[in-house]
Amino acid sequence: MAEKAGSSSGTTGTGPEEPPRSADLKGGPGHTVLLALVLAVPVTKVAYTVGGGGAARDVFVGMEPANWPDVLIGMVLTDPLLASVLAVVVSRVVFALFAARGAVPVGGGFWAVVQRVALTVVNPIAVGVVDACFFGPWWGLGTGLAAYALRKGVVVECRTGRRRPHGHRAGRPATAGAHHEGDGRPSPGLRRVAALEQWVALGLTTVALPALCFVSALDGQAWTSIVRCQVTDGTRSESNRLIELGRKGNGVVGWNLDTEEISNGLGCTGEESLYVREPWWRG
């Protein structure tokens, strides 16, 4: 009876540590927020930029479905802060998902350490390099370090037993090679690091990233190039500004900012400014 009680107590004690793994495996706040932003932000961007309603519908029809992702891509490539935060969040969410499936070794052996280091470092280096290519070395360095810090936090959670891979039973010892105090619980220092990482990741995912996305969506800038083209309407030809939606032959298909309709333009030249209207917070 004593053994059963002890086992039950151990299971209860580790129960609160199951949600991080379960959330990552089944779809936690990171997955939910990213999906919601992918659906809502591009539509918001187009609707605010061109005026909403029928204009937004015409733009999406004119772009064709294959080009719809260009809205989100264009937003990311024109806003370094948004791109950096998005890269950090995606890096952490993907790593947490793989950790929940047992991809992060937690043992203390040499090869386990090598695997952990490789899994923790490779992706932050990659996102840092990509960010540096578009926005400069300092943006790349900051993005890489932030992505590494959050990934390192996930590793700490795995090693302290706060985050167990799928299929790990709660009554079993946390992990081989985990850091423990004398009573078998993770050390206070590592628990604080893991808790801090979770709060930072939650803040970036549920507050910072959505805020930056909607600020970018409502800033009044086009998500792609603005060109000045010769647009022919019957026998009349005039110079108009178009938001480029696609190219056909020698011309451009775009949203005509002067006539507020889809137009075909020829002899187009690019314009430096991407601003179409005042930002929402100034209107």
Side-chain angles (χ1 to χ4, degrees):
M1 293 295 291
E3 290 180 359
K4 289 183 179 180
S7 175
S8 174
S9 175
T11 302
T12 303
T14 58
E17 294 175 358
E18 285 293 307
R21 187 271 302 165
S22 179
D24 289 326
L25 189 63
K26 299 178 181 179
H31 306 70
T32 304
V33 170
L34 287 175
L35 179 59
L37 293 177
V38 166
L39 294 175
V41 170
V43 176
T44 304
K45 178 70 170 180
V46 172
Y48 181 75
T49 304
V50 302
R57 183 172 57 251
D58 290 344
V59 167
F60 278 111
V61 171
M63 290 178 67
E64 300 179 353
N67 296 324
W68 288 356
D70 291 350
V71 179
L72 188 58
I73 294 172
M75 292 174 62
V76 170
L77 294 182
T78 56
D79 190 333
L81 184 57
L82 171 60
S84 299
V85 173
L86 179 62
V88 170
V89 169
V90 170
S91 174
R92 196 266 182 189
V93 167
V94 172
F95 189 61
L97 176 62
F98 281 108
R101 296 180 182 275
V104 179
V106 294
F110 173 76
W111 288 113
V113 172
V114 171
Q115 284 182 286
R116 264 199 315 273
V117 171
L119 288 171
T120 308
V121 170
V122 170
N123 185 270
I125 291 176
V127 297
V129 168
V130 172
D131 221 46
C133 290
F134 285 109
F135 307 115
W138 292 113
W139 281 106
L141 179 62
T143 301
L145 290 176
Y148 171 78
L150 293 191
R151 281 188 162 223
K152 186 65 175 177
V154 174
V155 172
V156 170
E157 290 183 71
C158 291
R159 298 197 67 197
T160 57
R162 288 175 60 94
R163 182 186 299 272
R164 293 183 176 83
H166 182 55
H168 183 98
R169 288 180 296 180
R172 296 172 59 185
T175 55
H179 295 272
H180 295 283
E181 293 179 337
D183 61 356
R185 293 176 58 82
S187 65
L190 288 179
R191 290 204 303 271
R192 283 194 293 270
V193 169
L196 177 62
E197 178 271 335
Q198 282 191 325
W199 279 108
V200 171
L202 186 64
L204 285 176
T205 304
T206 61
V207 179
L209 182 59
L212 289 171
C213 282
F214 282 101
V215 166
S216 180
L218 302 173
D219 64 0
Q221 294 189 81
W223 60 93
T224 186
S225 304
I226 294 181
V227 293
R228 183 167 291 278
C229 306
Q230 290 297 318
V231 177
T232 301
D233 182 11
T235 59
R236 183 182 61 182
S237 180
E238 56 185 12
S239 177
N240 292 150
R241 294 172 70 227
L242 275 64
I243 299 177
E244 183 178 335
L245 303 180
R247 292 180 178 267
K248 288 188 177 180
N250 296 325
V252 167
V253 177
W255 176 255
N256 194 321
L257 296 171
D258 298 311
T259 62
E260 297 186 346
E261 62 183 2
I262 299 293
S263 299
N264 294 318
L266 296 172
C268 301
T269 57
E271 295 203 341
E272 292 186 7
S273 177
L274 295 178
Y275 277 97
V276 174
R277 58 186 301 183
E278 286 291 320
W280 174 77
W281 49 89
R282 293 181 188 171

